[in-house]
Amino acid sequence: MEGGLVLLGGGSGGNGGGGGSSGVSTTESAVLSKVEVVSEACSYPAETELELGLGLSLGSSGGSTGKTKAANSSWGECGRILTAKDFPSVVSQRTNNGGPSSVAVSGTKRAAESVSHDSGSPTGVSQVVGWPPIRAYRMNSLVNQAKAQRGDEGDSGIGEKDKPKDALKKKLNYNGKQTSSATVNEKGYLGFVKVNMDGIPIGRKVDLNAHSSYESLAQALEDMFLRSANSLEKEPLTMASKLLDGSSEFVLTYEDKEGDWMLVGDVPWRMFVRSVRRLRIMRTSEANGLAPRFNESNDRQRSKPI
Amino acid sequence: MQKKRAYSFPDEVLEHVFSFIQSGKDRNAVSMVCKSWYEIERWCRRKVFIGNCYAVSPKMVIKRFPEVRSIELKGKPHFADFNLVPDGWGGYVLPWIVEMAGAYPWLEEIRLKRMVVTDESLELIAKSFKNFKVLVLFSCEGFSTDGLAAIAAGCKNLRELDLRESEVDDLSGHWLTHFPETCTSLVSLNISCLGSDEVSFSALERLVGRCPNLRSLRLNRAVSLDKIANILCLAPQLVDFGTGNYTTELQPDVLSNLTAAFSSCKELKSLSGFWDVVPAYLPALYPVCSRLTSLNLSYATIHSPEIIKLVSHCPSLQRLLVLDYIEDSGLEALASSCKDLQELRVFPSDPFGVEPNVSLTEKGLVSVSLGCPKLQSVLYFCRQMTNAALVTIAQNCPNFTRFRLCIIEPKTADYLTREPLDVGFGAIVEHCKDLRRLSLSGLLTDRVFEYIGTYAKKLEMLSVAFAGDSDLGLHHVLSGCESLRKLEIRDCPFGDKAILANAAKLETMRSLWMSSCTVSFGACKLLGQKMHRLNVEVIDETEPPCSRPESCPVDKLYVYRSISGPRSDMPPFVWTMDEEGTILH
């Protein structure tokens, strides 16, 4: 009994910390205690099944299909008593805004996640994380080569400014269409950039390909850092903080190709994606003097996705 | 105490005999013969391979093998290569270095794969091991050129520094100047992963010039073509060379200088690099082509006609890595020129394009399978496939040891018959009795797993994505594949039943990775509770798994056998299910 409580207690403690969910916590604990009871009930049939095995597997191989089926269907039944539908507030708290409305099944939620954090519907292979299975090292090379071929911003740093035009012409003559190169550059293969947040030792990586606006990027970063910061019990941060409009204790900045640190949100999204090298969530106090429009009310530029 | 033995060899004799046994597997077998052999063997083991750094603790290794000179460690699971393992998951090498610094002062070699290596670790290595010779960082991250400077300066007898495909924070190219003038011992230097920023070229030249035993040199992209001729003239004894950029401003002498430089390299067998190739300079390679056994053109954006021209000069080629620009026509030419070909890897030039940008289909692979009888290892990215082609390939190449096919669009059926590709892959496992590694793709039902479980008895590593219908598929694999060591699965409808029914199997394997499948949190807890020698890690970056009902599927599951229990360096988004049913964090 106690073991089960510890488990769930720990869980809800962590959730309680997650900003803005304080209103939900009473419902949560009521619901979670329901889960606890149910899981206790469920574990017994499974336990008996396990004992029957020869200790070689959790459900012996011989006539096991029947047994394990039985065990699992009772397991499944217990699971059916409480589905995510029973506590939509918990799940929707976690789903990002603009996520799919069907909040119920984790499978869908995960499908949405695997598609992208919040941007709309999947449009083929490019939206699935880690597919096709090409190593980041190789992807980076592809990006740089595509950029070099398009003579984009001359940023390949190899001093081949004259070459790209020829290379590009060759490509055009060869397959008569430019669309593939254009797609490359707009989507930007190099989706993953490093993000560090002041006060948190572990850096993360965020996939820029999965976002089409500053807002969705900021939301993803807030989810990534502000929630995990809470579970580490560091400085209490509120979920209401907005990284983009300067109203929070932190501000989102990026290092561009020239090595300068800029405030995120000043340039059109696509331009940002092409020039960003890495991100840093900086303390507002340190960010003074970063960009002239800091703390200005010129919100139109920043909040409007392009 | 004099033990009574059936033979009367003194320990020294046995030690001497054992010294001829190099392979780890054989050594392990030797150590299990009897207690005295275990003792003798452990004192004379010099080389240790640890396939999962969390399977055992440094202290345990040191306790058993006190005289190790060479260690190899692997950290993150393979799917980390494709960004499926979140940053910060683990794989830190520092604890190992710290322990070894005290216990193995004579350590000579460290080889790491997919581990997080910090500058602190590198500095510690440079300080602690007086006779340090070999550092290989394969696909590692977390360090900068400052750490490399420490290695260069501190390791007086450094023979090998190989940073292949690692992510290095390139702070300055000047780290190369930290190699002292007295360093002449380099045999292998691979800096191809370093960024496009300048590397101190003059330091590089001087280093190359004073190392007469240098056999392998792989430059990074910052080095342009006009500089290569100089380097090659300084090191004509090179066996393996990686160019930087294969491009430069058009100049009259470059081609002739380059050709002369390559001609002077009589031992050159392996070439790589070739970023940004200007085809006009490829003929410079002709003098070495006839001896080439390995050619990596996978970064070269040259097209089929140029590739064909180059490859047809290389009759001894055993290994080719190339982009799909080679096309079916190029592969046909390859099949007729390179009869010794053993390994082929074809990478996509435009993996996210919706329409194919090149004419590379299943036909290319079929031609190679037909023309190259020694073909053993294939990695092939394409956009279409048929069962018939796979059956033909399987029949042509019964010697495959590694077959990895990636049809770019998930769940793509046989484009002629619209059927799943079960029969095709089934033919591969049936005919290729020595198959050790297999990666599946395309539309696949549970049937393909039945074939795999039935035939793939030597299979050690299986990668599955977007395949199967039910737990039965996974059950076939876990119950049938006797040699299975590593299984990685993503986005498949595999859940609790197969895992729980085959829990004991998991202890015979190195690891199991499942992400975006349907394994419930409850099953993970049960597995962790019952199987004490498995670490069952649930990874979820969005929310703790215990905040949802236990029937909910976990996001990512990584199960691996371990004799050192749950690790203590888990980040907030990883939970280990332990024996008491509590979740460790």
Side-chain angles (χ1 to χ4, degrees):
Chain A
M1 211 49 162
E2 274 313 304
L5 275 174
V6 165
L7 182 91
L8 298 166
S12 63
N15 289 342
S21 62
S22 47
V24 183
S25 59
T26 38
T27 336
E28 249 184 53
S29 39
V31 153
L32 285 169
S33 54
K34 244 203 287 180
V35 174
E36 172 217 331
V37 168
V38 164
S39 68
E40 282 291 302
C42 283
S43 62
Y44 294 132
E47 283 286 332
T48 11
E49 294 306 331
L50 295 170
E51 248 67 78
L52 288 172
L54 286 170
L56 289 179
S57 67
L58 297 178
S60 49
S61 45
S64 65
T65 350
K67 282 189 192 142
T68 32
K69 255 194 206 150
N72 284 320
S73 61
S74 59
W75 191 268
E77 265 164 19
C78 295
R80 253 182 266 128
I81 289 172
L82 294 166
T83 64
K85 283 195 198 115
D86 294 313
F87 14 93
S89 44
V90 177
V91 183
S92 61
Q93 200 72 29
R94 301 289 169 246
T95 315
N96 300 318
N97 359 320
S101 52
S102 63
V103 131
V105 183
S106 317
T108 319
K109 172 168 166 289
R110 240 167 336 119
E113 274 173 17
S114 70
V115 167
S116 71
H117 287 294
D118 6 55
S119 47
S121 45
T123 45
V125 164
S126 59
Q127 297 285 12
V128 179
V129 174
W131 190 267
I134 299 170
R135 306 180 59 184
Y137 181 66
R138 185 168 292 283
M139 291 286 219
N140 297 356
S141 266
L142 277 175
V143 178
N144 289 331
Q145 289 191 122
K147 284 183 182 171
Q149 282 185 345
R150 284 172 52 82
D152 218 66
E153 298 164 351
D155 63 354
S156 55
I158 312 297
E160 40 160 32
K161 294 214 167 84
D162 298 320
K163 278 293 135 216
K165 293 193 195 114
D166 296 334
L168 185 61
K169 271 202 205 111
K170 261 197 201 142
K171 197 158 163 65
L172 284 177
N173 293 337
Y174 183 78
N175 57 16
K177 48 188 165 127
Q178 200 181 348
T179 43
S180 44
S181 313
T183 323
V184 164
N185 219 37
E186 270 165 8
K187 286 223 186 290
Y189 289 158
L190 183 50
F192 281 86
V193 291
K194 284 191 181 161
V195 194
N196 284 84
M197 176 163 173
D198 287 357
I200 294 182
I202 296 177
R204 307 290 287 272
K205 276 195 188 142
V206 66
D207 182 4
L208 288 181
N209 276 334
H211 303 278
S212 50
S213 73
Y214 286 117
E215 276 185 347
S216 83
L217 173 64
Q219 186 65 58
L221 291 176
E222 281 169 31
D223 289 345
M224 216 187 262
F225 281 95
L226 301 185
R227 201 181 317 111
S228 53
N230 284 334
S231 63
L232 284 176
E233 276 155 14
K234 284 200 169 9
E235 315 155 6
L237 301 160
T238 58
M239 275 301 255
S241 61
K242 291 264 184 279
L243 289 170
L244 288 176
D245 65 10
S247 70
S248 113
E249 199 186 315
F250 286 82
V251 83
L252 184 58
T253 63
Y254 72 104
E255 184 186 19
D256 70 5
K257 291 222 153 11
E258 270 105 54
D260 300 322
W261 285 92
M262 322 273 277
L263 201 62
V264 164
D266 287 350
V267 302
W269 171 257
R270 274 200 218 110
M271 198 185 292
F272 163 71
V273 168
R274 278 207 291 271
S275 58
V276 62
R277 257 223 301 232
R278 54 185 164 154
L279 295 164
R280 180 174 155 201
I281 302 176
M282 202 185 280
R283 279 183 227 281
T284 311
S285 46
E286 280 181 39
N288 280 321
L290 245 195
R293 279 199 297 268
F294 180 62
N295 246 346
E296 210 80 39
S297 57
N298 196 353
D299 284 27
R300 263 179 278 134
Q301 193 86 14
R302 296 202 196 101
S303 47
K304 214 195 258 173
I306 291 160
Chain B
M1 179 176 100
Q2 190 72 9
K3 283 196 183 136
K4 192 147 190 227
R5 295 198 186 115
Y7 49 85
S8 51
F9 296 145
D11 290 358
E12 294 80 19
V13 172
L14 279 172
E15 242 189 73
H16 182 68
V17 172
F18 292 170
S19 69
F20 293 101
I21 301 171
Q22 302 289 345
S23 115
K25 274 195 195 142
D26 292 341
R27 280 265 174 172
N28 292 344
V30 162
S31 69
M32 300 221 287
V33 167
C34 61
K35 281 189 185 159
S36 56
W37 281 34
Y38 177 94
E39 276 303 307
I40 297 167
E41 193 281 319
R42 77 181 188 90
W43 278 96
C44 65
R45 175 123 30 156
R46 297 282 175 263
K47 207 167 166 178
V48 179
F49 168 77
I50 293 161
N52 175 3
C53 64
Y54 291 121
V56 66
S57 74
K59 283 196 163 76
M60 283 169 160
V61 175
I62 291 168
K63 185 164 178 215
R64 180 170 171 194
F65 301 117
E67 302 273 338
V68 164
R69 298 266 187 278
S70 163
I71 190 161
E72 182 173 349
L73 287 167
K74 294 191 181 178
K76 302 185 207 174
H78 175 238
F79 271 179
D81 286 353
F82 316 126
N83 291 314
L84 288 177
V85 177
D87 254 17
W89 170 84
Y92 305 104
V93 81
L94 187 60
W96 287 86
I97 309 289
V98 167
E99 295 291 337
M100 293 192 301
Y104 296 148
W106 298 110
L107 190 70
E108 294 176 5
E109 306 181 353
I110 295 178
R111 293 178 169 83
L112 306 175
K113 187 169 182 182
R114 279 188 218 104
M115 294 199 75
V116 178
V117 181
T118 54
D119 285 346
E120 192 187 343
S121 308
L122 293 176
E123 282 152 20
L124 196 52
I125 291 173
K127 254 191 344 209
S128 318
F129 308 116
K130 298 296 169 222
N131 203 21
F132 197 68
K133 296 195 172 122
V134 172
L135 183 63
V136 177
L137 302 176
F138 191 164
S139 212
C140 295
E141 54 164 353
F143 60 102
S144 77
T145 43
D146 286 352
L148 295 178
I151 295 282
C155 304
K156 309 276 180 249
N157 293 317
L158 195 65
R159 274 203 333 233
E160 251 181 79
L161 179 60
D162 184 344
L163 307 173
R164 54 174 88 167
E165 297 183 41
S166 290
E167 220 178 282
V168 185
D169 219 346
D170 207 338
L171 301 175
S172 150
H174 289 288
W175 68 274
L176 266 174
T177 58
H178 288 254
F179 277 106
E181 292 299 318
T182 46
C183 171
T184 57
S185 49
L186 269 186
V187 171
S188 169
L189 180 64
N190 178 351
I191 53 172
S192 54
C193 64
L194 290 184
S196 301
D197 298 335
E198 287 301 318
V199 117
S200 172
F201 193 73
S202 50
L204 179 65
E205 270 187 315
R206 283 197 309 275
L207 182 61
V208 170
R210 65 177 182 267
C211 294
N213 297 323
L214 193 66
R215 288 277 177 275
S216 169
L217 177 65
R218 296 194 183 189
L219 304 172
N220 66 328
R221 220 166 154 176
V223 179
S224 58
L225 198 56
D226 50 314
K227 301 215 171 83
I228 286 178
N230 297 353
I231 292 268
L232 287 176
C233 291
L234 286 169
Q237 76 281 6
L238 282 177
V239 172
D240 167 42
F241 181 63
T243 73
N245 253 290
Y246 209 75
T247 182
T248 185
E249 299 292 331
L250 279 164
Q251 281 161 28
D253 290 338
V254 170
L255 183 59
S256 51
N257 288 345
L258 205 54
T259 313
F262 274 113
S263 312
S264 67
C265 299
K266 305 288 181 207
E267 314 281 335
L268 203 51
K269 291 214 168 56
S270 164
L271 283 176
S272 58
F274 298 110
W275 286 280
D276 308 313
V277 175
V278 171
Y281 292 129
L282 286 174
L285 301 172
Y286 291 167
V288 298
C289 282
S290 59
R291 283 184 297 267
L292 272 188
T293 56
S294 170
L295 182 57
N296 183 351
L297 291 172
S298 62
Y299 299 103
T301 50
I302 49 176
H303 295 288
S304 192
E306 290 122 9
I307 302 178
I308 293 175
K309 234 189 286 171
L310 187 55
V311 148
S312 51
H313 278 85
C314 306
S316 314
L317 207 57
Q318 293 171 12
R319 186 168 183 257
L320 176 67
L321 281 68
V322 73
L323 285 171
D324 57 8
Y325 289 130
I326 192 172
E327 299 196 319
D328 290 339
S329 54
L331 288 173
E332 220 176 291
L334 179 69
S336 55
S337 325
C338 305
K339 294 301 183 189
D340 282 346
L341 197 69
Q342 293 172 17
E343 180 175 351
L344 174 67
R345 297 192 189 203
V346 180
F347 295 96
S349 52
D350 183 17
F352 298 131
V354 175
E355 295 300 316
N357 60 328
V358 290
S359 174
L360 180 102
T361 68
E362 78 282 7
K363 301 184 182 65
L365 190 54
V366 172
S367 344
V368 179
S369 75
L370 201 55
C372 304
K374 300 189 189 169
L375 195 61
Q376 270 182 14
S377 170
V378 167
L379 170 60
Y380 199 74
F381 283 81
C382 61
R383 286 187 154 85
Q384 64 183 51
M385 187 52 62
T386 64
N387 281 309
L390 283 171
V391 171
T392 306
I393 290 166
Q395 289 169 339
N396 291 338
C397 293
N399 296 325
F400 273 159
T401 52
R402 289 187 287 265
F403 188 74
R404 294 153 70 188
L405 178 67
C406 179
I407 304 167
I408 290 181
E409 184 63 37
K411 305 200 188 179
T412 305
D414 176 325
Y415 74 94
L416 291 177
T417 64
R418 312 305 312 165
E419 280 174 2
L421 291 171
D422 301 335
V423 168
F425 279 106
I428 294 278
V429 291
E430 191 183 343
H431 285 93
C432 307
K433 308 223 184 289
D434 292 326
L435 196 67
R436 290 193 318 255
R437 186 168 176 182
L438 178 64
S439 300
L440 306 172
S441 59
L443 181 65
L444 296 164
T445 71
D446 282 347
R447 219 169 137 213
V448 72
F449 299 108
E450 196 181 336
Y451 292 137
I452 292 173
T454 307
Y455 293 109
K457 294 304 179 188
K458 298 240 178 102
L459 193 65
E460 296 177 6
M461 182 168 176
L462 179 64
S463 309
V464 187
F466 304 102
D469 309 312
S470 74
D471 273 45
L472 204 52
L474 180 55
H475 175 69
H476 283 308
V477 172
L478 288 176
S479 55
C481 296
E482 293 160 4
S483 313
L484 197 63
R485 288 189 300 116
K486 288 180 281 184
L487 180 56
E488 46 186 28
I489 302 172
R490 61 163 299 175
D491 294 273
C492 295
F494 297 149
D496 301 348
K497 296 178 204 167
I499 299 223
L500 296 179
N502 293 285
K505 170 74 174 174
L506 297 180
E507 266 189 20
T508 68
M509 294 165 52
R510 183 186 297 172
S511 66
L512 166 69
W513 169 278
M514 291 180 74
S515 54
S516 306
C517 296
T518 50
V519 182
S520 73
F521 182 50
C524 294
K525 280 171 59 185
L526 195 55
L527 193 63
Q529 244 176 302
K530 291 291 156 186
M531 308 300 294
H532 299 169
R533 285 179 302 197
L534 291 180
N535 277 358
V536 179
E537 288 187 13
V538 172
I539 300 167
D540 194 327
E541 284 184 281
T542 52
E543 57 179 333
C546 33
S547 66
R548 297 194 295 263
E550 295 209 340
S551 58
C552 273
V554 296
D555 184 26
K556 294 172 181 169
L557 171 66
Y558 185 47
V559 181
Y560 55 91
R561 65 179 173 188
S562 174
I563 55 174
S564 58
R567 54 188 177 111
S568 52
D569 60 358
M570 286 178 288
F573 50 85
V574 177
W575 291 263
T576 294
M577 318 288 110
D578 92 336
E579 299 165 12
E580 277 100 53
T582 51
I583 317 295
L584 300 178
H585 198 326

